[in-house]
Amino acid sequence: QAQTADYKFNRLTIYNGLSQNMVHCLTQDYLGYMWFGTKDGLNRYDGYTFKIYKSDLFDPASICDNQINYLYEDDKHNLWIGTRKGLSLYDRENDRFINFEREKITKNSLVVNCISGNSKDGLWISSFGGEIIGLDIVYTPGKRTPEVKLKRIITKAEIRNDRAENILLEKNDALWIFGINGISHLDLRSGTIDTTGSQYQTYLFQPESSKSRISANKYSPFHSPMQEGIMDENGLLWFIGKEGLYKFDKKNRQFVFYKLNEWAKTLISKVNNSGDTEIWIGLFYQGINIINTRTGHIDKVTTESLGEEKGTDMWITKFCKGRDGTVWLGTSGWGIIYSSPINSMFKKETPH
């Protein structure tokens, strides 16, 4: 049973200092700063003011392009920026950028659309051209610029997709690849890629009171259009696609499937006041669905509730969950929308 939720949302736009209202990506770094990647500039926000970073042809230490497609902070607190013209790394010490030459990474164009990784398994980048590129990042003491070593290139033929919509590195184990023809699974140890999912089963979500299991293999994420995956607070993997939401049961090689009737774009997990895991799902033009994963109950947040007029062609491009519980939403032309808990300190406390 779906119902309209009562959540309070605030908004940040160009009128507050944001460089552009088309927001492709957002993240919070380990110091507490919010970073927003837009169609025209990278923005750092401290809860009060914006600092905008833009490309400058005459400054090699400026960011390599103004269209910011993806932001990713790795386990060593390095902030990686994927742009329309390649890969940049933020140099915090000097408040500058280290740009990596495309030729050292790929012979093809490098329009980055997603980044995932860690210091052990490397940095993985997907490009709009269809390649997925695995890089080893080597840091040398005393040297400001790390060395980039190519470890693997995955072609679009290997993943049965013209390109990856998103990628997700599962620590020490696997790279999940999301595409319009379904997911693919790269085993990092063996190097093999599974595109069939024949060893996995999919079951329809059932409330705890139900003892039955209903097969939903026709909705297998390996054979349905898929958008994105995340890891929640408990280490569980959640995937979103055209048909609905999937929880991955790694031990039993199963997916638990929550059927939705709207095509989702992005998702994030959040623990509610009752201790249940909620998945917030950003829909194309339809606002947000908030699913209680224990009960299956769905709250709907309409675009009007987000502060937009009815019929607005707006969708959520990306979620970010702040450490204080604030949920941040990037949008397709309407700036940043955020919902803070009552005890949020974001507005009262600048990062250190």
Side-chain angles (χ1 to χ4, degrees), residues 233-275:
E233 295 82 358
N234 300 311
L236 292 172
L237 296 181
W238 296 87
F239 301 161
I240 197 72
K242 181 182 178 183
E243 301 294 347
L245 174 69
Y246 301 80
K247 178 175 75 172
F248 180 47
D249 177 352
K250 185 173 181 177
K251 181 181 176 184
N252 296 308
R253 293 179 177 267
Q254 294 173 0
F255 293 95
V256 177
F257 174 60
Y258 298 74
K259 184 82 172 86
L260 299 175
N261 295 317
E262 296 104 342
W263 194 333
K265 163 72 175 161
T266 186
L267 77 165
I268 199 166
S269 67
K270 192 174 189 295
V271 176
N272 66 18
N273 293 333
S274 302

Side-chain angles (χ1 to χ4, degrees), residues 108-203:
N108 302 314
S109 66
L110 187 59
V111 182
V112 177
N113 75 327
C114 189
I115 306 171
S116 190
N118 59 46
S119 53
K120 179 180 178 294
D121 300 308
L123 196 73
W124 293 82
I125 301 165
S126 67
S127 76
F128 278 100
E131 290 181 324
I132 298 170
I133 302 160
L135 302 172
D136 278 325
I137 312 297
V138 182
Y139 294 92
T140 305
K143 280 188 73 175
R144 175 173 160 262
T145 304
E147 186 181 354
V148 172
K149 293 183 177 179
L150 184 65
K151 64 191 291 177
R152 179 163 182 178
I153 290 181
I154 300 170
T155 65
K156 49 189 176 185
E158 291 180 89
I159 61 170
R160 297 183 304 110
N161 279 286
D162 285 339
R163 72 160 192 254
E165 299 296 327
N166 272 285
I167 55 176
L168 175 66
L169 187 73
E170 187 182 356
K171 189 177 179 183
N172 303 330
D173 191 15
L175 183 73
W176 294 91
I177 301 159
F178 303 83
I180 206 73
N181 294 324
I183 59 172
S184 303
H185 175 273
L186 167 63
D187 187 313
L188 293 175
R189 285 170 289 195
S190 69
T192 57
I193 299 175
D194 180 12
T195 61
T196 66
S198 57
Q199 59 183 312
Y200 300 93
Q201 297 294 313
T202 303
Y203 293 99

Side-chain angles (χ1 to χ4, degrees), residues 28-29 31-34 45-48 323 346 349-352:
Q28 185 177 37
D29 71 15
L31 295 173
Y33 289 108
M34 292 301 304
Y45 182 60
D46 63 6
Y48 298 92
R323 293 203 299 269
F346 195 87
E349 181 179 81
T350 53
H352 48 78

Side-chain angles (χ1 to χ4, degrees), residues 46-109:
D46 63 6
Y48 298 92
T49 58
F50 287 91
K51 180 168 185 178
I52 297 170
Y53 300 88
K54 289 198 174 184
S55 180
D56 181 346
L57 286 172
F58 302 102
D59 182 1
S62 68
I63 197 163
C64 65
D65 189 58
N66 287 336
Q67 181 170 307
I68 314 300
N69 292 334
Y70 207 86
L71 294 167
Y72 179 75
E73 188 176 57
D74 66 21
D75 54 338
K76 298 288 188 186
H77 304 313
N78 298 303
L79 183 64
W80 298 92
I81 302 105
T83 79
R84 186 180 49 180
K85 293 183 180 176
L87 183 68
S88 294
L89 172 64
Y90 180 54
D91 174 5
R92 277 195 182 88
E93 188 177 339
N94 298 296
D95 196 26
R96 310 289 276 167
F97 295 89
I98 300 165
N99 298 313
F100 295 88
E101 295 176 33
R102 175 188 61 80
E103 293 78 10
K104 291 184 178 179
I105 298 174
T106 177
K107 295 175 184 175
N108 302 314
S109 66

